[in-house]
Amino acid sequence: MKRDQFDQYIRRFNAEDPTAFDDFIAPDMKMLNGALEFTGIAGMRDHYENKIWPFFKEELNVLRFVSDEKHIGIQMWTHFTARVDGDTLFGPVRKGDTYDYRGLIMYDINESGRFSSIIVSYNSFVNTKVSGEVIEMGLPH
């Protein structure tokens, strides 16, 4: 997959467009994200539409990109800002709390050009409270 096509996926993800999953995720895709595992388009949509986007504005920033026909590897910085107070996958949050994930993500690409496997590896996950307190989260979920 070429960088411009991957960037299209990232733009649509950042716009909270769940149809990006329909266009880029294989029906049987397996994702390992920290301690979470989910499968396919339905798993991605459930995770983001029900567990992340209602609570957080999430912005993906690709810092490094390498690819060939069957794999993509990226260095990623993802910034989350809590939209509301609530209990979330990250634990209790207050509106305005931020979370910054830094790590590596490996994508396998199937013969139809869709992501068949996504593995997220954490280097750091930091929570900054509205009060200014900074907490290293380790694996968040």
Side-chain angles (χ1 to χ4, degrees), residues 3-141:
R3 174 72 190 255
D4 61 335
Q5 187 179 10
F6 186 78
D7 285 346
Q8 178 186 59
Y9 170 72
I10 297 297
R11 278 192 300 279
R12 289 174 64 189
F13 184 99
N14 283 341
E16 299 177 11
D17 175 0
T19 66
F21 303 137
D22 300 330
D23 294 338
F24 286 88
I25 301 295
D28 60 347
M29 181 274 311
K30 302 288 186 209
M31 182 165 184
L32 176 61
N33 182 350
L36 296 176
E37 294 182 41
F38 37 96
T39 302
I41 297 164
M44 289 289 278
R45 289 186 77 135
D46 176 60
H47 179 73
Y48 289 100
E49 290 181 290
N50 298 316
K51 298 175 178 96
I52 297 294
W53 293 338
F55 299 99
F56 298 98
K57 173 62 181 160
E58 180 177 4
E59 182 182 0
L60 307 179
N61 300 281
V62 178
L63 304 176
R64 188 176 295 168
F65 174 91
V66 294
S67 74
D68 61 25
E69 302 79 35
K70 296 183 181 183
H71 307 94
I72 295 172
I74 61 170
Q75 180 182 5
M76 178 73 80
W77 164 44
T78 304
H79 182 75
F80 300 84
T81 303
R83 299 178 193 271
V84 296
D85 295 351
D87 288 322
T88 73
L89 287 175
F90 304 160
V93 302
R94 295 195 55 198
K95 183 177 180 178
D97 285 351
T98 64
Y99 295 80
D100 287 284
Y101 153 80
R102 293 180 187 272
L104 306 173
I105 304 174
M106 175 63 77
Y107 299 80
D108 292 333
I109 302 168
N110 68 14
E111 59 283 342
S112 66
R114 294 174 183 247
F115 307 138
S116 59
S117 172
I118 304 172
I119 300 172
V120 179
S121 174
Y122 289 76
N123 294 124
S124 71
F125 200 78
V126 176
N127 168 220
T128 304
K129 302 284 188 188
V130 174
S131 67
E133 178 184 11
V134 177
I135 302 166
E136 177 63 48
M137 302 285 293
L139 274 175
H141 35 31

